[in-house]
Each structure stands twice: as C-alpha cells, then as structure tokens.
Amino acid sequence: MTAYILRRLLLFIPTLLGIMLVSFTVVQFAPGGPVERVIAQLTGSDVAATARIGGTQGGDFGNAGQSQSQTGGGADAATSKYRGAQGLDPEFIKKLEKQFGFDKPAHERFLLMLSNYIRFEFGDSYFRDVSVIQLIKEKMPVSISLGLWMTLISYGISIPLGIRKAMSDGSRFDVWTSGVIVVGYAIPGFLFAVLLIVLFAGGTFLDWFPLRGLTSENWDTLPWYHKITDYFWHLTLPIIAMALSAFATTTFLTKNSFLDEIKKQYVMTARAKGLTERQTLYSHVFRNAMLIIIAGFPGAFISAFFAGSLLIETIFSLDGLGLLSFESIVNRDYPVVFATLFIFSLLGLVINLISDLTYTWVDPRIDFETREV
C-alpha cells in the first residue's frame, strides 16, 4: 500500500502541472484582462475603481489617465494592443502592465507562478486590497457549512431510504418514493430556492426565515445556544434547496447495491442457516453493499464543498467560494482564479486518494499494490 500511495503522490506533480498549464494557456488567448478592465473603467470615467489597484499607486494611475484624457495626449496609444486605450499615455499603460506583471513574457509569468505556488505563496488580489489566502479564509465558512450539512443530510436520509426501498422492492412504498425522488431531482435547485423564499422568507406568504448571510448581525452578542440556533436558522432554506436533487443518486445507488448483494449465494446460505432478515442484512449484506457508497463519501463532500451552488449563494446572499470564483473570473482577477484552481485541484487529488484508501478500510480484501496506476 505504501508503494501505491507514493506512486499516486508522485502523479500529483504532472497532473497539477497539466491543469495549470492548460488553464494558463487558455487565459492568454481569452479576450479581456485586468489591464483592459482598468482602461475600460478609465475611459468610462470610473476613475475611482483604479484606487483598488496597488493602493496609492492606483490613485496615481487614475490621476495620470484623467490628466492624459483632458490634454488629449497619448496619440501613440492609438496603436496600443489594448482596446479603448486611445487618449491614454503609453507610459501609463506600461505602468499598468508592470503593476499586473504583464511586462514579462507569458512563459516567465507561468514559471514564476509555479515557483510561488510550490511554496504556497498565492499573492494578492488585483482588485481587492487583501491576499488570496485571506479571501479564501473569509469565504470558506459559507462553503464548508453548505457542503458539510448538505452531504450529511443527503447521506443520512438517502442511505436508510435506499435500504428500505431495496427490502421492499416493487412495493407501493418503493414506487411512490421513487416518483417523489425523480421529481425532486428534476426541479432546478435555484427555482426551488425562489419558491422557498416566496413561501417562507417574507415573500408572498410566511416570514419565518432570514434572507441574507450565514448569521444575524448581532450574532457576536448572542449566548452560545442562541448562536447555534441562529446558525441553523439561516442555513435551513439554502440547505433544503441544495439537497433536493442530492437524494436521487445516493438513494438509487444504495438501493441497487443492496439488491445486487441480496441476490447473491452467500445471502441465501445465511438465510438457510436460520438467520433473520435483519441479521442477514446488517451482518453480511451491509458491508459489501455499502462499499461503493462509503468510499464515495469523501468525493461527495469535496464536490459539494467546492462546487456548491453559485445561484443558491446569490439568491440567499451567501458570500462563499462559488461566488468568489465567479466574480474573480468576471473581473479577470487572475491571482484569485489561478490560486483557487490550484488549491481545489490539489485537494481534489488528495480526496480521490483518500477515497481509494477508504475502499481498503471498508473491505481489507481490496489490495491496490497489484493495481496499475
């Protein structure tokens, strides 16, 4: 097992390198960029936006651009590679490029980025006066809350329901629960979220739940037991909206796994020895049937944690990692984009390895030493 783990860890290097190289290359050919964004804001008279770039230096950029526009200078900028740069001093454009690191060739920027990421140094956001790590830390509580509770609730309901459906396969209970699950899976999460708001969050009907944030404004002043209540009070509707479609996969996977195991010879032998259905189910069938489900839990959690739901976060005003990633892409905030991509990819690889190791914990008969990576 040690040799298998070492091989998997060594494979992290080319995998991460490939992910970052492809993403970096795509960005180089994508239209727009941080320099273009600042130029657009300047030419649109949105000078205040440049104050977010490099602190005082950003203010100097704004003054330089404004002065150049007023004097009609920068005729040489007509040949600039940036759209909308007419009327701006070429020296000002060069300062912008240096500020964002675009004064270096692409391959140098890529190698510099890799050398920093190896040391887990991710730099600062282009348009926010804060480091990338600090940004991720600020958004992480929302994503952890949504991902953790959605996964636990979906597994806590889907597994017992799947077992019950397998034991009563073809019954009326099995049929109507399958119908409910399929309908729930077909309803878009964001549409159900809007329905929940209308019904329970001050829409047309009841006003039982809050619409904004993970906690109330007075959360710090609340006693610990009220803090717990307040936390779950804010999470109730987002979790319901996200978990609605999460039951289908786990429920049907559990049911089919148990049905497959129940039909095997060792189950008939256990029954022939006089074991009850409950003894047969939990002493013999459960471990084998739950292998794929338990081993898939780390992957399911990391998927819910990082993928989250941009629309759910937006609808309920939850500022999580999903919304951060989307805004960073729209704003061409490349340090945040590439840093989150690197961190998420690395954690995804680690979770996949943990999922494989979980198989051996659930069923020691599985041996990865003889498996080709």
Side-chain angles (χ1 to χ4, degrees):
M1 181 58 66
T2 302
Y4 173 76
I5 295 175
L6 289 176
R7 290 199 303 270
R8 288 290 298 272
L9 291 176
L10 289 174
L11 276 176
F12 284 9
I13 299 174
T15 303
L16 285 172
L17 180 61
I19 292 172
M20 299 308 297
L21 179 59
V22 171
S23 302
F24 186 86
T25 303
V26 170
V27 165
Q28 304 311 304
F29 293 98
V35 176
E36 290 91 332
R37 182 169 182 262
V38 174
I39 291 174
Q41 291 170 336
L42 282 172
T43 55
S45 300
D46 188 11
V47 181
T50 57
R52 293 175 291 177
I53 307 169
T56 304
Q57 189 177 9
D60 294 340
F61 284 167
N63 294 332
Q66 191 176 42
S67 174
Q68 202 63 27
S69 298
Q70 291 171 350
T71 59
D76 293 338
T79 59
S80 174
K81 61 183 177 180
Y82 301 109
R83 295 181 59 185
Q86 291 78 7
L88 296 178
D89 188 352
E91 290 300 321
F92 168 67
I93 301 297
K94 290 181 180 179
K95 288 182 180 180
L96 274 181
E97 291 179 333
K98 185 175 181 180
Q99 175 73 18
F100 293 120
F102 287 96
D103 56 330
K104 301 181 179 66
H107 68 278
E108 290 186 16
R109 287 186 279 117
F110 179 71
L111 293 176
L112 178 62
M113 181 182 69
L114 288 183
S115 66
N116 290 333
Y117 284 8
I118 290 173
R119 301 190 302 270
F120 289 93
E121 296 178 0
F122 301 107
D124 298 329
S125 167
Y126 281 162
F127 303 106
R128 308 176 194 224
D129 190 19
V130 66
S131 68
V132 174
I133 290 297
Q134 184 61 35
L135 267 178
I136 294 176
K137 287 180 179 179
E138 291 175 0
K139 314 300 181 184
M140 195 169 286
V142 171
S143 296
I144 289 178
S145 297
L146 293 177
L148 176 63
W149 292 113
M150 191 196 76
T151 305
L152 291 178
I153 291 174
S154 64
Y155 266 67
I157 295 176
S158 298
I159 291 176
L161 180 59
I163 295 174
R164 172 71 185 279
K165 287 172 65 62
M167 299 304 295
S168 57
D169 183 41
S171 66
R172 183 175 299 177
F173 172 82
D174 180 42
V175 173
W176 75 261
T177 53
S178 295
V180 172
I181 292 172
V182 170
V183 171
Y185 183 76
I187 298 176
F190 72 91
L191 186 61
F192 190 65
V194 173
L195 176 62
L196 291 176
I197 290 175
V198 172
L199 293 178
F200 302 110
T204 307
F205 298 95
L206 304 174
D207 190 9
W208 288 353
F209 296 95
L211 263 179
R212 182 177 297 275
L214 196 61
T215 56
S216 299
E217 294 181 358
N218 64 334
W219 191 81
D220 291 333
T221 63
L222 297 175
W224 66 268
Y225 48 90
H226 283 168
K227 287 183 177 180
I228 297 175
T229 305
D230 183 77
Y231 171 73
F232 286 106
W233 183 47
H234 283 76
L235 273 180
T236 300
L237 296 187
I239 293 298
I240 293 175
M242 290 182 65
L244 180 66
S245 62
F247 296 116
T249 302
T250 308
T251 300
F252 288 125
L253 181 62
T254 303
K255 175 188 174 182
N256 293 333
S257 296
F258 272 82
L259 284 177
D260 185 57
E261 292 296 324
I262 288 173
K263 297 175 182 177
K264 291 184 177 179
Q265 184 64 43
Y266 74 89
V267 176
M268 299 180 183
T269 303
R271 288 170 175 168
K273 290 181 178 180
L275 295 180
T276 64
E277 286 294 321
R278 185 179 182 84
Q279 290 175 326
T280 302
L281 178 65
Y282 291 103
S283 300
H284 298 275
V285 176
F286 187 83
R287 188 182 70 174
N288 294 328
M290 290 297 295
L291 175 62
I292 189 172
I293 300 166
I294 295 175
F297 179 82
F301 170 68
I302 206 69
S303 176
F305 172 54
F306 288 120
S309 176
L310 171 62
L311 292 174
I312 296 297
E313 289 183 10
T314 302
I315 291 172
F316 290 101
S317 299
L318 297 171
D319 195 5
L321 291 174
L323 190 58
L324 173 65
S325 300
F326 174 76
E327 291 179 345
S328 300
I329 293 172
V330 171
N331 295 329
R332 303 298 194 269
D333 198 348
Y334 292 151
V336 179
V337 172
F338 288 122
T340 52
L341 175 65
F342 179 84
I343 294 172
F344 295 173
S345 299
L346 178 60
L347 286 176
L349 292 171
V350 172
I351 291 298
N352 284 334
L353 176 59
I354 294 175
S355 296
D356 283 350
L357 298 180
T358 307
Y359 278 103
T360 63
W361 174 69
V362 176
D363 191 347
R365 296 172 297 177
I366 297 177
D367 183 15
F368 285 109
E369 290 290 349
T370 58
R371 172 183 170 185
E372 293 292 334
V373 180

